[in-house]
Amino acid sequence: VLTWQEGATHVTVERSLKKTYIQTLLDNFVPEVYGTVNNYHAIQLLQNKKSMLQKVEDLIIYGDLTYSASSLEFDGLHAIAQEYNVNDAGESLNIDENGALSLTNLRLIEDRMRHGIDFWLFPKAIARRLDAYVQEGGLVSTPSLQMRFSFGVDQLGKRVTFWNGVPIIRSDYLVLETDGTGVGSNARAKSTAGTTYSIFAIKLGQVMQQDPGLSFGIGHTPAAGQLWKQVMFADLEDYDAAGLRLIGYYGLLDGSSMCKARIYDITVSAVFP
Protein backbone atom coordinates (compact mmCIF):
# COMPACT_ATOMS: atom_id res chain seq x y z
CA VAL A 1 0.00 0.00 0.00
CA LEU A 2 1.38 3.40 -1.00
CA THR A 3 0.63 6.24 1.39
CA TRP A 4 -0.12 9.70 0.07
CA GLN A 5 1.29 12.64 1.96
CA GLU A 6 2.08 16.32 1.51
CA GLY A 7 5.52 17.16 0.15
CA ALA A 8 5.61 20.29 2.29
CA THR A 9 3.53 22.06 4.89
CA HIS A 10 2.63 25.66 4.13
CA VAL A 11 1.18 28.42 6.26
CA THR A 12 -1.29 30.73 4.53
CA VAL A 13 -0.51 34.40 5.13
CA GLU A 14 -2.86 37.23 4.15
CA ARG A 15 -1.42 40.56 3.05
CA SER A 16 -3.35 43.72 2.23
CA LEU A 17 -2.62 46.27 -0.47
CA LYS A 18 -3.22 49.70 1.01
CA LYS A 19 -4.06 52.94 -0.78
CA THR A 20 -1.13 55.32 -0.85
CA TYR A 21 -1.54 58.72 -2.44
CA ILE A 22 -0.44 62.31 -2.64
CA GLN A 23 -2.60 65.12 -4.00
CA THR A 24 -1.82 68.81 -4.46
CA LEU A 25 -3.47 71.95 -5.70
CA LEU A 26 -2.69 73.51 -9.07
CA ASP A 27 -3.45 77.11 -8.13
CA ASN A 28 -4.80 79.12 -11.05
CA PHE A 29 -2.73 82.12 -9.95
CA VAL A 30 0.59 80.28 -10.18
CA PRO A 31 0.88 79.37 -13.91
CA GLU A 32 1.92 82.94 -14.73
CA VAL A 33 5.10 82.32 -12.74
CA TYR A 34 5.97 79.26 -14.83
CA GLY A 35 4.90 80.66 -18.18
CA THR A 36 2.15 78.20 -19.12
CA VAL A 37 -0.28 75.84 -17.45
CA ASN A 38 1.57 72.89 -18.99
CA ASN A 39 4.87 73.97 -17.46
CA TYR A 40 3.24 74.40 -14.06
CA HIS A 41 1.58 70.98 -14.32
CA ALA A 42 4.83 69.29 -15.39
CA ILE A 43 6.88 70.84 -12.58
CA GLN A 44 4.26 69.97 -9.95
CA LEU A 45 4.06 66.41 -11.28
CA LEU A 46 7.83 65.98 -10.90
CA GLN A 47 7.63 67.21 -7.31
CA ASN A 48 4.72 64.87 -6.56
CA LYS A 49 6.56 61.89 -8.04
CA LYS A 50 9.53 62.50 -5.75
CA SER A 51 7.26 62.92 -2.72
CA MET A 52 5.34 59.75 -3.60
CA LEU A 53 8.53 57.68 -3.93
CA GLN A 54 9.80 59.00 -0.60
CA LYS A 55 6.49 58.10 1.04
CA VAL A 56 6.55 54.57 -0.35
CA GLU A 57 10.22 54.03 0.56
CA ASP A 58 9.44 55.02 4.15
CA LEU A 59 6.41 52.70 4.31
CA ILE A 60 8.44 49.76 2.96
CA ILE A 61 10.51 49.98 6.14
CA TYR A 62 8.25 51.52 8.78
CA GLY A 63 4.70 50.84 7.60
CA ASP A 64 2.57 48.95 10.13
CA LEU A 65 -0.96 47.69 9.46
CA THR A 66 -1.66 46.83 13.10
CA TYR A 67 -0.46 49.96 14.85
CA SER A 68 -0.99 52.68 12.25
CA ALA A 69 -3.90 55.07 12.69
CA SER A 70 -7.09 53.32 11.44
CA SER A 71 -4.84 50.53 10.03
CA LEU A 72 -4.24 52.48 6.81
CA GLU A 73 -0.60 51.43 6.24
CA PHE A 74 0.70 48.17 4.77
CA ASP A 75 3.17 46.14 6.83
CA GLY A 76 6.76 47.18 6.20
CA LEU A 77 10.00 45.33 6.92
CA HIS A 78 9.91 45.97 10.66
CA ALA A 79 6.36 44.67 10.99
CA ILE A 80 6.82 41.46 8.99
CA ALA A 81 10.21 40.77 10.60
CA GLN A 82 8.47 40.81 13.98
CA GLU A 83 5.46 38.77 12.84
CA TYR A 84 7.28 35.79 11.29
CA ASN A 85 10.68 35.77 12.94
CA VAL A 86 12.04 32.22 12.92
CA ASN A 87 13.23 29.87 10.17
CA ASP A 88 12.08 26.30 9.55
CA ALA A 89 14.29 25.06 12.39
CA GLY A 90 12.90 27.57 14.88
CA GLU A 91 16.07 29.68 14.85
CA SER A 92 15.57 33.41 15.37
CA LEU A 93 15.65 35.78 12.40
CA ASN A 94 14.91 38.75 14.65
CA ILE A 95 17.88 39.59 16.86
CA ASP A 96 17.85 42.26 19.56
CA GLU A 97 21.44 43.50 19.49
CA ASN A 98 21.05 45.74 22.56
CA GLY A 99 24.44 47.31 21.90
CA ALA A 100 27.09 47.57 19.22
CA LEU A 101 26.75 45.44 16.07
CA SER A 102 28.17 41.95 16.49
CA LEU A 103 29.67 40.43 13.35
CA THR A 104 28.75 37.03 14.77
CA ASN A 105 25.09 37.93 14.35
CA LEU A 106 25.66 38.72 10.67
CA ARG A 107 27.08 35.21 10.27
CA LEU A 108 24.17 33.69 12.18
CA ILE A 109 21.65 35.41 9.93
CA GLU A 110 23.52 34.17 6.84
CA ASP A 111 23.21 30.57 8.00
CA ARG A 112 19.60 30.86 9.14
CA MET A 113 18.29 32.37 5.90
CA ARG A 114 18.40 29.09 4.03
CA HIS A 115 17.33 30.57 0.68
CA GLY A 116 20.22 33.02 0.72
CA ILE A 117 20.49 36.81 0.93
CA ASP A 118 20.32 39.21 -2.02
CA PHE A 119 21.41 42.29 -0.09
CA TRP A 120 21.91 43.81 3.34
CA LEU A 121 20.07 47.05 4.13
CA PHE A 122 22.18 49.23 6.43
CA PRO A 123 21.71 52.69 7.93
CA LYS A 124 24.68 54.85 7.03
CA ALA A 125 25.73 55.36 10.65
CA ILE A 126 26.21 51.60 11.23
CA ALA A 127 27.82 51.07 7.82
CA ARG A 128 30.40 53.71 8.74
CA ARG A 129 31.29 51.68 11.82
CA LEU A 130 31.93 48.67 9.60
CA ASP A 131 34.11 50.85 7.36
CA ALA A 132 36.09 52.03 10.37
CA TYR A 133 36.65 48.45 11.54
CA VAL A 134 38.33 47.59 8.24
CA GLN A 135 40.12 50.89 7.70
CA GLU A 136 41.27 52.42 10.94
CA GLY A 137 39.19 51.45 13.96
CA GLY A 138 39.67 47.73 14.43
CA LEU A 139 37.35 45.64 16.58
CA VAL A 140 36.34 47.09 19.92
CA SER A 141 37.77 44.12 21.83
CA THR A 142 40.81 43.33 19.66
CA PRO A 143 42.00 46.48 17.85
CA SER A 144 45.23 44.75 16.86
CA LEU A 145 43.27 42.89 14.16
CA GLN A 146 43.43 46.09 12.16
CA MET A 147 47.03 45.19 11.29
CA ARG A 148 45.82 42.20 9.25
CA PHE A 149 44.61 44.56 6.51
CA SER A 150 46.87 46.37 4.08
CA PHE A 151 45.98 49.15 1.64
CA GLY A 152 47.50 51.13 -1.13
CA VAL A 153 47.73 54.90 -0.71
CA ASP A 154 44.69 55.36 -2.96
CA GLN A 155 42.53 52.90 -0.96
CA LEU A 156 42.45 54.67 2.39
CA GLY A 157 38.95 55.52 3.56
CA LYS A 158 37.20 53.12 1.17
CA ARG A 159 33.76 51.84 2.07
CA VAL A 160 32.88 48.25 2.83
CA THR A 161 30.38 47.42 0.08
CA PHE A 162 29.98 43.65 0.59
CA TRP A 163 29.67 41.19 3.45
CA ASN A 164 30.73 37.70 2.32
CA GLY A 165 29.96 38.63 -1.28
CA VAL A 166 26.48 40.02 -0.52
CA PRO A 167 26.00 43.74 -1.35
CA ILE A 168 25.49 46.24 1.46
CA ILE A 169 22.98 48.93 0.49
CA ARG A 170 23.16 52.12 2.55
CA SER A 171 19.69 53.53 3.02
CA ASP A 172 18.66 57.11 3.76
CA TYR A 173 15.33 55.70 4.96
CA LEU A 174 16.75 53.66 7.86
CA VAL A 175 16.88 56.36 10.51
CA LEU A 176 17.34 56.73 14.25
CA GLU A 177 14.80 54.64 16.15
CA THR A 178 13.45 54.44 19.69
CA ASP A 179 15.07 51.62 21.64
CA GLY A 180 12.74 48.72 22.48
CA THR A 181 9.91 49.58 20.07
CA GLY A 182 8.50 47.36 17.33
CA VAL A 183 8.73 44.12 19.27
CA GLY A 184 5.10 43.09 19.45
CA SER A 185 3.23 45.74 21.40
CA ASN A 186 3.78 48.78 19.17
CA ALA A 187 5.26 49.89 15.86
CA ARG A 188 8.96 50.50 15.39
CA ALA A 189 9.27 54.19 16.16
CA LYS A 190 11.39 56.67 14.24
CA SER A 191 12.81 59.39 16.44
CA THR A 192 15.38 62.15 16.00
CA ALA A 193 16.09 61.66 19.71
CA GLY A 194 16.47 57.89 19.28
CA THR A 195 19.63 56.02 20.20
CA THR A 196 19.54 52.88 18.04
CA TYR A 197 19.34 51.62 14.45
CA SER A 198 18.29 48.42 12.64
CA ILE A 199 19.67 46.46 9.71
CA PHE A 200 17.91 43.96 7.45
CA ALA A 201 18.92 40.97 5.34
CA ILE A 202 16.66 40.61 2.29
CA LYS A 203 15.95 37.78 -0.15
CA LEU A 204 13.90 38.85 -3.17
CA GLY A 205 11.55 36.60 -5.13
CA GLN A 206 8.34 36.58 -7.16
CA VAL A 207 5.67 35.39 -4.75
CA MET A 208 3.18 34.80 -7.58
CA GLN A 209 5.60 32.19 -8.96
CA GLN A 210 5.94 30.61 -5.48
CA ASP A 211 9.46 31.94 -4.93
CA PRO A 212 10.39 32.05 -1.22
CA GLY A 213 11.37 35.71 -1.44
CA LEU A 214 10.05 39.20 -0.84
CA SER A 215 7.92 40.98 -3.47
CA PHE A 216 6.45 44.46 -3.67
CA GLY A 217 2.77 44.21 -4.58
CA ILE A 218 1.24 46.94 -6.77
CA GLY A 219 -2.40 47.41 -7.77
CA HIS A 220 -4.89 49.92 -9.16
CA THR A 221 -2.57 51.24 -11.88
CA PRO A 222 -3.40 51.77 -15.57
CA ALA A 223 -0.88 49.25 -16.86
CA ALA A 224 1.60 46.64 -15.68
CA GLY A 225 4.86 48.14 -14.47
CA GLN A 226 3.36 51.50 -13.55
CA LEU A 227 3.68 52.55 -9.91
CA TRP A 228 0.60 54.74 -9.68
CA LYS A 229 -2.40 56.23 -11.42
CA GLN A 230 -2.56 59.95 -12.18
CA VAL A 231 -5.90 61.68 -11.66
CA MET A 232 -6.66 65.28 -12.69
CA PHE A 233 -9.46 67.45 -11.28
CA ALA A 234 -10.23 70.40 -13.51
CA ASP A 235 -11.89 72.62 -10.89
CA LEU A 236 -11.93 72.04 -7.16
CA GLU A 237 -14.92 73.25 -5.17
CA ASP A 238 -14.06 76.10 -2.78
CA TYR A 239 -10.69 76.63 -4.52
CA ASP A 240 -9.59 78.66 -7.50
CA ALA A 241 -7.44 75.69 -8.50
CA ALA A 242 -7.23 72.39 -10.27
CA GLY A 243 -6.12 69.21 -8.51
CA LEU A 244 -3.45 66.59 -9.18
CA ARG A 245 -3.51 63.19 -7.47
CA LEU A 246 -1.12 60.23 -7.67
CA ILE A 247 -2.53 57.03 -6.15
CA GLY A 248 -1.64 53.35 -6.04
CA TYR A 249 -2.31 50.25 -3.92
CA TYR A 250 0.85 48.79 -2.37
CA GLY A 251 2.01 46.08 0.00
CA LEU A 252 4.97 43.84 0.82
CA LEU A 253 4.44 40.14 0.04
CA ASP A 254 6.66 37.70 1.94
CA GLY A 255 6.95 34.31 0.27
CA SER A 256 8.73 32.74 3.22
CA SER A 257 9.65 33.46 6.82
CA MET A 258 13.24 33.29 5.54
CA CYS A 259 12.97 36.13 3.01
CA LYS A 260 13.98 38.75 5.60
CA ALA A 261 15.81 39.04 8.88
CA ARG A 262 16.31 41.91 11.27
CA ILE A 263 18.97 42.97 13.76
CA TYR A 264 17.63 45.87 15.82
CA ASP A 265 18.52 48.12 18.75
CA ILE A 266 22.05 48.59 17.41
CA THR A 267 23.98 51.43 19.01
CA VAL A 268 26.49 53.57 17.13
CA SER A 269 29.64 52.03 18.58
CA ALA A 270 32.65 50.12 17.36
CA VAL A 271 31.62 46.70 16.06
CA PHE A 272 32.20 43.47 18.01
CA PRO A 273 33.51 40.14 16.66
Side-chain angles (χ1 to χ4, degrees), residues 97-218:
E97 194 64 277
N98 195 28
L101 176 63
S102 168
L103 302 184
T104 295
N105 284 336
L106 295 183
R107 299 182 189 279
L108 284 174
I109 292 297
E110 281 185 315
D111 286 341
R112 292 172 181 178
M113 288 185 66
R114 310 224 192 276
H115 304 300
I117 301 172
D118 285 328
F119 63 89
W120 292 92
L121 196 64
F122 266 65
K124 291 182 177 179
I126 303 303
R128 287 196 298 269
R129 286 293 179 174
L130 196 58
D131 298 338
Y133 153 59
V134 174
Q135 285 283 339
E136 73 274 357
L139 289 169
V140 65
S141 57
T142 53
S144 62
L145 283 180
Q146 174 193 354
M147 304 307 296
R148 296 185 181 182
F149 300 99
S150 60
F151 307 99
V153 293
D154 60 343
Q155 294 178 307
L156 294 176
K158 289 189 70 173
R159 290 180 169 184
V160 174
T161 55
F162 291 87
W163 173 265
N164 193 23
V166 176
I168 294 173
I169 297 177
R170 300 170 187 237
S171 173
D172 289 322
Y173 296 92
L174 272 170
V175 298
L176 273 169
E177 300 165 351
T178 302
D179 187 14
T181 59
V183 290
S185 60
N186 52 18
R188 188 65 175 175
K190 297 180 291 182
S191 172
T192 55
T195 58
T196 62
Y197 288 93
S198 303
I199 66 175
F200 291 93
I202 304 295
K203 173 65 179 177
L204 299 176
Q206 178 50 263
V207 171
M208 300 305 176
Q209 297 177 5
Q210 300 185 13
D211 288 339
L214 190 70
S215 298
F216 182 60
I218 304 173

Side-chain angles (χ1 to χ4, degrees), residues 36 72 139 252:
T36 69
L72 296 180
L139 289 169
L252 286 184

